[in-house]
Amino acid sequence: MRVLGRRDDHAWSQEHLSHYVEGDLSWLARRRLELHAEECPDCSRGIRAVRALLRLMHATADRSGAAPASIFDRVRADAARGETDQARET
Amino acid sequence: MTRSLTTRRPVQTAERDLVRGAQAGEVAAFEQLVGEHADRLYAVAVRLVVDRTEAEDVVQESLLRAWRGIGRFKGHSMFSTWLYRIAVNESNRALERRLRRGVAIPIDEEFVQIPAPAHDGPASQAEQEELRHGLDTAIASLAPPYRTALVLRDIEGLSASEAAKIAGVGEAAFKSRLHQARLKVRAALDDTALIAAPI
């Protein structure tokens, strides 16, 4: 069975660029993609694009800002109701 | 780039004490316990529901559920994993309600207009803004399970294992969603702009 250098390498590589970057490919599959990418500008560029995409997404992590001060409002109201109920029972 | 909740803040006696306090009904203990995660929870909710007002509602409701359910937290998972899972579920409920009302997913303008780093020139700022706008739109256009995978792993930087637990699926299924999501987002963006982006 010929695993490396197959005719469908390009389509396969394009679908597995993210797996490659994530480290989710077996050694053989990794070699298959690397050998193809060495000769394929599209796939070589694809690897760089996926890596850049991951960097860009990671860089957006802190853009949402701080959580609003109101986030505990319902918890506090619920706790206060609980205390009132408890006081009524005693 | 993995930002594990587990390694970022290992289980400590202090956390166990706060969990016990919260389980005993101490609001201050609960607020302290949750406070450390509040900004990240809000960020995840904003990304998942793509609307700041709705995200605030989602986080409020998630914290209320966590407060009422803290007695059921047995410590089999990290507290943060348990809390994030509640927030992801609540985000999904908000999205389902929106779907039933037939409301389209908004793109929060405040959310997408992000100032570029000061060291960039005007041309690069405009390009970067356009790229980030494209990225936000592409992420917002993903179906919720794919968006969740991308947000937890690639934006929040959690490990695939932890993110899969939060999403409530096995790791293999999670990774399949993640790779599909990346394919879709990359297809919506320009490779040249991506590679040239000054990040």
Side-chain angles (χ1 to χ4, degrees):
Chain A
M1 186 177 71
R2 192 172 173 225
V3 176
L4 301 175
R6 287 172 8 183
R7 268 194 300 181
D8 59 352
D9 275 349
H10 183 69
W12 179 86
S13 294
Q14 282 290 321
E15 284 197 2
H16 289 84
L17 294 174
S18 163
H19 301 70
Y20 175 78
V21 171
E22 185 80 7
D24 280 349
L25 294 180
S26 67
W27 179 86
L28 198 60
R30 192 171 179 83
R31 282 304 294 151
R32 179 183 175 189
L33 198 146
E34 282 169 350
L35 284 173
H36 172 74
E38 279 172 15
E39 294 175 353
C40 174
D42 270 3
C43 287
S44 165
R45 183 185 174 80
I47 292 172
R48 281 182 287 141
V50 172
R51 286 187 174 138
L53 174 64
L54 298 190
R55 282 197 302 273
L56 180 66
M57 288 195 286
H58 195 68
T60 69
D62 295 320
R63 285 166 42 204
S64 298
S70 63
I71 58 166
F72 286 110
D73 284 359
R74 288 180 204 171
V75 170
R76 288 171 189 159
D78 192 69
R81 268 196 303 275
E83 280 172 15
T84 311
D85 292 347
Q86 214 169 27
R88 276 198 200 109
E89 285 168 16
T90 52
Chain B
M1 282 200 292
T2 297
R3 187 199 289 181
S4 167
L5 292 169
T6 312
T7 53
R8 191 172 45 181
R9 198 175 54 79
V11 183
Q12 291 170 348
T13 313
E15 183 177 276
R16 280 197 293 270
D17 289 346
L18 289 173
V19 168
R20 284 195 199 105
Q23 288 174 331
E26 295 168 19
V27 186
F30 180 78
E31 288 191 19
Q32 200 180 332
L33 183 63
V34 166
E36 209 172 312
H37 307 288
D39 291 349
R40 301 315 325 149
L41 277 182
Y42 176 63
V44 167
V46 169
R47 278 288 179 190
L48 294 183
V49 300
V50 202
D51 181 276
R52 286 177 183 278
T53 309
E54 200 160 1
E56 186 178 339
D57 185 65
V58 161
V59 175
Q60 281 201 23
E61 196 57 31
S62 302
L63 297 191
L64 181 60
R65 282 176 186 269
W67 165 248
R68 288 179 174 170
I70 188 79
R72 292 193 296 275
F73 176 70
K74 303 295 180 203
H76 299 313
S77 66
M78 287 292 293
F79 176 76
S80 52
T81 305
W82 181 77
L83 188 62
Y84 273 63
R85 184 148 185 206
I86 293 173
V88 167
N89 288 342
E90 195 53 39
S91 298
N92 287 332
R93 272 192 285 273
L95 290 172
E96 282 164 17
R97 282 195 297 274
R98 188 191 292 167
L99 201 64
R100 281 198 297 273
R101 294 197 306 268
V103 180
I105 292 176
I107 302 294
D108 188 332
E109 284 306 316
E110 189 192 340
F111 179 55
V112 296
Q113 287 175 1
I114 304 303
H119 62 268
D120 291 326
S124 138
Q125 265 191 23
E127 282 165 10
Q128 199 173 2
E129 204 166 297
E130 191 180 335
L131 181 63
R132 291 192 172 191
H133 188 288
L135 176 67
D136 288 335
T137 307
I139 295 172
S141 305
L142 292 170
Y146 297 91
R147 189 156 70 239
T148 302
L150 203 78
V151 167
L152 294 177
R153 175 79 183 106
D154 289 343
I155 296 181
E156 288 304 307
L158 303 182
S159 70
S161 155
E162 192 161 18
K165 282 181 198 151
I166 292 168
V169 292
E171 199 169 329
F174 178 85
K175 285 201 165 183
S176 169
R177 290 177 186 179
L178 178 69
H179 294 312
Q180 287 297 317
R182 286 178 183 171
L183 267 180
K184 287 176 189 188
V185 169
R186 186 186 149 219
L189 301 173
D190 176 35
D191 275 356
T192 309
L194 262 180
I195 293 168
I199 301 161

